[in-house]
Amino acid sequence: MKAQITIDRARIWMAIAAVGVVALGSFWLYDTVRRQGADDYNRASARLEPDYYVENFNFIKLSNNGKANYHVTGKNLIHLPRTDQYDIKEPRISSFDAQRTPITINAGRAVVEQKSEVLTPKRTEDVVHLYDQVTVERPQGINSSFMRVETEYLQLLPDADIVKTDQRIKLITDNGETLATGMMANNTNQELRLLSKVHARLSKHK
Amino acid sequence: EKADSLKEMTIEADQFLNNGKTNVSTFSGDVVVVRGTLKVKAEKAVVTKSADEFQHVVLTAKPGAKISFRQKRDGGPDLWVEGESEKAEYDEKTEFVKFLSKAQIRYLDGSKVTQQQEGEFLSYDSKNDVFVGVNSSSGQSVSGGGRIKTTIQPRTEKQAN
């Protein structure tokens, strides 16, 4: 008799467990569908067209933790809510701080993607894309030599103070002129790396 | 060759690294340095600038490989000088090309070697074609150091035609 009861009891428990799994499964399915719907809803609601724009602007960002400060000017800026991006015509960015000589960047167009929680996937750092005749210039300074960079595309990572590109690039310094494909410049440790096909013309000593 | 010293120097490589603070530039990967007829091939070239703004280039080869160098010499239509070594230094001010450790230099008339030199330290003044061989790679002669071996081919009699 005793064995019989335990088998019945085991069978009952198994049935209860099965029902429990089914219930949980369906609740999980319902919740995922509901949450997915919500994402689509709030993205659909953010319009595709720009929600505001600024003409001939001056934007100054002062950082207090010793990081570089930024002064951005541009002819025209539009904000795209759907992708939370800024599209700037003829941007001019100069980054300056106490220790280093200021760097000035000019371009035909910039797309600024700021950190954003709204988007999926989330954007964890600011990224600035620069297009059309991009120039970066650093004048002769106390602890830095003259440098000018010319390229068609440049990517800025302001938080990491890194400037990089995978395009053809011309680097002009007082040593001469260098052409290459791909560049990675780190402003904090003042290192500039050219990634491939390097062709340097060292100017004769004047 | 004298004319080379008026020419600008070009350096080609796979990669380049410039340190803004120390202003040291490093070219690496199949480095080819060209100045007029002077052509040097190496694995790495480190370009530094002296206080008076002259460039100093230190070239090193892949471990086990050698740097190669070739330049036209004055004094004849087809006179060349060629060389190999594990390390070389080129100074823009003095225009000296110094070959260090297991260096070998060959003077050629066309493709015929007229003089050959081996040693630890061979320095070649590319402006005035003056050549110095010393037996230690520090440039000072060390007694008991390596030997300088020079073989000079007999001058072929020019047939008076």
Side-chain angles (χ1 to χ4, degrees):
Chain A
M1 249 314 267
K2 191 142 179 21
Q4 191 55 27
I5 302 168
T6 48
I7 293 168
D8 288 350
R9 196 169 290 137
R11 204 174 283 126
I12 296 162
W13 275 116
M14 269 208 294
I16 292 168
V19 166
V21 163
V22 166
L24 269 177
S26 56
F27 170 72
W28 172 75
L29 194 63
Y30 160 73
D31 186 53
T32 328
V33 164
R34 190 182 54 72
R35 211 181 306 118
Q36 184 59 28
D39 274 355
D40 286 349
Y41 169 72
N42 66 35
R43 183 172 299 148
S45 69
R47 324 198 287 265
L48 199 54
E49 309 77 24
D51 48 4
Y52 63 82
Y53 65 92
V54 184
E55 296 276 343
N56 297 321
F57 68 92
N58 243 293
F59 166 83
I60 298 171
K61 176 183 174 216
L62 295 176
S63 75
N64 50 21
N65 50 16
K67 276 262 185 221
N69 311 312
Y70 285 97
H71 176 203
V72 183
T73 65
K75 234 195 194 38
N76 163 298
L77 172 144
I78 54 174
H79 176 250
L80 306 165
R82 173 70 63 83
T83 50
D84 195 10
Q85 284 173 325
Y86 297 94
D87 200 309
I88 303 173
K89 293 281 172 302
E90 290 174 30
R92 180 187 168 83
I93 305 169
S94 42
S95 110
F96 51 91
D97 64 32
Q99 300 83 15
R100 287 179 300 228
T101 37
I103 290 187
T104 314
I105 303 172
N106 282 296
R109 177 173 161 251
V111 170
V112 181
E113 293 169 346
Q114 284 191 316
K115 294 191 221 356
S116 152
E117 299 304 324
V118 166
L119 290 171
T120 46
K122 278 199 279 296
R123 267 203 300 260
T124 54
E125 57 174 353
D126 296 347
V127 180
V128 178
H129 303 275
L130 293 163
Y131 303 93
D132 320 336
Q133 279 145 8
V134 184
T135 63
V136 178
E137 200 156 312
R138 178 186 66 199
Q140 176 86 25
I142 325 122
N143 49 20
S144 68
S145 52
F146 167 75
M147 181 195 74
R148 178 181 164 85
V149 170
E150 290 167 6
T151 180
E152 277 312 301
Y153 168 71
L154 206 59
Q155 191 181 88
L156 310 188
L157 303 170
D159 306 325
D161 225 346
I162 282 181
V163 172
K164 61 180 181 180
T165 180
D166 54 3
Q167 305 283 323
R168 199 64 185 150
I169 189 159
K170 178 189 274 187
L171 169 68
I172 303 157
T173 62
D174 40 28
N175 293 351
E177 214 177 84
T178 305
L179 286 169
T181 307
M183 176 194 84
M184 163 84 96
N186 184 322
N187 206 9
T188 20
N189 59 22
Q190 298 259 303
E191 258 194 12
L192 185 137
R193 211 177 279 275
L194 297 178
L195 307 179
S196 72
K197 297 194 189 66
V198 178
H199 181 89
R201 262 205 337 248
L202 304 186
S203 49
K204 259 192 66 51
H205 180 258
K206 285 179 231 24
Chain B
E1 189 184 52
K2 277 197 187 45
D4 285 347
S5 64
L6 310 175
K7 303 269 180 27
E8 70 179 9
M9 182 155 66
T10 71
I11 302 182
E12 281 180 21
D14 286 349
Q15 287 180 351
F16 167 85
L17 168 65
N18 170 274
N19 184 316
K21 286 197 186 102
T22 57
N23 207 359
V24 171
S25 303
T26 309
F27 293 87
S28 52
D30 288 339
V31 177
V32 177
V33 179
V34 171
R35 182 175 204 178
T37 63
L38 168 70
K39 185 170 199 173
V40 185
K41 288 198 187 116
E43 176 56 18
K44 198 165 133 188
V46 178
V47 183
T48 48
K49 217 163 198 188
S50 58
D52 47 12
E53 300 287 319
F54 275 101
Q55 268 145 24
H56 186 76
V57 187
V58 174
L59 300 116
T60 45
K62 263 193 203 134
K66 284 202 169 175
I67 297 171
S68 71
F69 135 81
R70 181 178 164 83
Q71 183 175 28
K72 198 161 177 325
R73 274 188 298 128
D74 287 329
D78 201 9
L79 294 180
W80 291 87
V81 59
E82 267 178 15
E84 289 97 30
S85 72
E86 283 175 354
K87 188 177 171 197
E89 285 176 17
Y90 174 74
D91 193 280
E92 188 187 17
K93 187 170 181 184
T94 60
E95 290 193 46
F96 263 50
V97 188
K98 289 189 194 127
F99 292 92
L100 311 165
S101 79
K102 299 191 187 63
Q104 193 192 68
I105 301 271
R106 288 177 303 282
Y107 276 62
L108 298 122
D109 182 348
S111 58
K112 191 168 76 56
V113 176
T114 53
Q115 180 186 336
Q116 188 165 328
Q117 186 109 19
E118 276 159 36
E120 272 309 296
F121 173 95
L122 301 173
S123 135
Y124 174 69
D125 175 349
S126 68
K127 196 160 25 176
N128 317 317
D129 291 357
V130 166
F131 187 78
V132 166
V134 179
N135 62 5
S136 80
S137 56
S138 62
Q140 276 70 34
S141 171
V142 169
S143 60
R147 302 287 294 163
I148 300 286
K149 190 174 123 206
T150 307
T151 35
I152 301 178
Q153 305 302 337
R155 196 172 290 281
T156 51
E157 284 321 306
K158 297 256 181 323
Q159 291 80 10
N161 40 27

